[in-house]
Amino acid sequence: CDKNWIENAGGKNGHPNARPLKGPVLLGYDTTIVEQCMLAKGLAFGKWRSPDMRVIVDSCSGAGFNFIRVNHHWDYCLQVQYIICAMQGKLPGQPQRTSAAGQPTGEIQFAMPPRELRLEHLWNEPAFTFSSIFIHEVAMLAVLCKNGREVFEKGVGESFWCELDPTTYAEFARYPH
C-alpha cells in the first residue's frame, strides 16, 4: 500500500519513491474526479474531453485528495489492491481512524454520488472497460464493508469510513487478484 499511486506526474511527484498525495481517497468517473479536484483548488471546470492521464494528475495534484492514476502497468488486480488499501486507511497521506471493532479504516469520498450510478452499459460492453471501474469500486465497498449500504447514502464530498467485514474479506482474499 505504501507506494506512489500516480504516474505521469511532472518532476519529483512522478518518482516511484514520492508520496505526493494527501487527503481522502476520491472515487468517481474521470470527469467527475477532475471536476472535484478543480473545484477544491478554486478553479473553473469547463467541458472536459481529454482522455489524457496527465490532465487528471495535473488537475488533482495539490487538491487534497488521494487517487490512483497508473497506466503503464495498470490492470484490474492493481485497482483491487488500491481499493483494499483505501478501505483500511493504508494509503500514504490518507486520513485514518480506528473503527468500533478496533480495525483501521480510511477516509473515502465520492466525486459522484454512488446512488446515481447507471448499470445499463454493463450489459452492452463486450468486456471490462475504464467506464466500469467506478461501478466495481462501489460494489467492492458495498460488499466488503459491514456498513456498505451507507455508500449509497453518500453525496459528493461526504466521507465514508469502511468497517471491513472480516468474514467477507477472508472469503474474497481466497481468490487470486
Side-chain angles (χ1 to χ4, degrees):
C1 294
D2 184 24
K3 62 183 178 181
N4 190 354
W5 290 91
I6 61 172
E7 289 179 354
N8 296 319
K12 64 181 181 176
N13 287 347
H15 190 277
N17 292 328
R19 303 294 182 271
L21 303 177
K22 307 259 185 277
V25 170
L26 184 62
L27 302 179
Y29 293 112
D30 287 350
T31 53
T32 60
I33 289 172
V34 169
E35 180 178 17
Q36 281 307 111
C37 290
M38 292 185 73
L39 289 172
K41 291 169 91 172
L43 302 173
F45 178 76
K47 294 282 184 193
W48 184 74
R49 296 184 192 130
S50 174
D52 184 359
M53 296 291 185
R54 182 137 197 159
V55 171
I56 298 169
V57 171
D58 290 346
S59 297
C60 290
S61 293
F65 296 111
N66 246 300
F67 58 96
I68 182 173
R69 207 45 64 191
V70 177
N71 61 354
H72 293 300
H73 303 289
W74 183 92
D75 62 17
Y76 188 65
C77 294
L78 185 66
Q79 194 75 30
V80 167
Q81 180 187 4
Y82 177 79
I83 295 300
I84 295 296
C85 292
M87 288 177 186
Q88 299 175 67
K90 293 184 177 181
L91 296 174
Q94 181 188 16
Q96 183 188 75
R97 68 182 189 192
T98 303
S99 73
Q103 300 172 327
T105 181
E107 185 177 11
I108 298 171
Q109 291 186 5
F110 303 98
M112 174 187 160
R115 68 180 163 274
E116 294 179 12
L117 283 172
R118 298 293 176 251
L119 307 179
E120 297 85 13
H121 79 276
L122 291 177
W123 289 276
N124 298 324
E125 298 285 338
F128 182 80
T129 64
F130 285 108
S131 64
S132 56
I133 292 171
F134 182 44
I135 293 168
H136 288 266
E137 291 169 336
V138 169
M140 285 182 63
L141 293 170
V143 171
L144 295 175
C145 303
K146 287 182 185 178
N147 58 336
R149 288 179 172 237
E150 291 177 21
V151 167
F152 299 101
E153 298 168 6
K154 299 298 178 186
V156 172
E158 294 180 335
S159 296
F160 174 73
W161 300 85
C162 173
E163 295 174 22
L164 197 61
D165 183 324
T167 305
T168 307
Y169 178 71
E171 181 70 21
F172 176 77
R174 287 185 25 202
Y175 299 96
H177 34 61

